[in-house]
Amino acid sequence: MVRAEVEFFKDEECTLRAKGPQNSARMEVKVSVSRIKELLDTVWHKFKDFWGILVTLIFAALLFVIRKYIKKKTGYGGNGELESGTETEAEDSQEE
């Protein structure tokens, strides 16, 4: 059993409520719920969340794998300073 409270208004903008209780004839309403649509919406939202996490993990794993290569190319040691080997190379190239 479904119960609904129906409010009656005097105008189309629904601003002036009808005074006092209003009696109406019996009203039948058909309600349909698409369980498949609801299920597909849930699956789609979860798939988008999963896809975002998967892409993030792939990029993180890629950076983890190539971090040594990036470290060699940039000379950045990770502690905010250049590595000692690259500093000497930079000084040698400045002297020439």
Side-chain angles (χ1 to χ4, degrees), residues 14 36 45 48 50 53 59 70:
C14 300
I36 293 175
H45 289 297
K48 287 194 310 185
F50 168 76
I53 292 169
F59 279 122
I70 293 172

Side-chain angles (χ1 to χ4, degrees), residues 6-70:
V6 180
E7 295 182 6
F8 293 97
F9 295 92
K10 290 184 177 181
D11 59 347
E12 291 182 14
E13 288 83 28
C14 300
T15 56
L16 299 173
R17 290 185 183 210
K19 294 181 182 178
Q22 301 290 321
N23 292 329
S24 64
R26 183 176 176 151
M27 185 177 2
E28 291 186 30
V29 178
K30 291 185 180 181
V31 177
S32 65
V33 177
S34 174
R35 294 183 191 257
I36 293 175
K37 182 183 182 313
E38 189 176 327
L39 180 65
L40 289 177
D41 286 345
T42 303
V43 169
W44 178 248
H45 289 297
K46 296 299 179 184
F47 176 75
K48 287 194 310 185
D49 291 343
F50 168 76
W51 185 251
I53 292 169
L54 181 67
V55 169
T56 303
L57 287 175
I58 289 172
F59 279 122
L62 184 64
L63 282 174
F64 182 78
V65 170
I66 64 170
R67 74 180 190 275
K68 289 182 182 179
Y69 176 76
I70 293 172

Side-chain angles (χ1 to χ4, degrees), residues 58-87:
I58 289 172
F59 279 122
L62 184 64
L63 282 174
F64 182 78
V65 170
I66 64 170
R67 74 180 190 275
K68 289 182 182 179
Y69 176 76
I70 293 172
K71 187 177 176 180
K72 284 181 182 179
K73 287 292 187 183
T74 61
Y76 179 70
N79 57 0
E81 299 176 3
L82 291 175
E83 290 184 12
S84 59
T86 56
E87 286 177 356

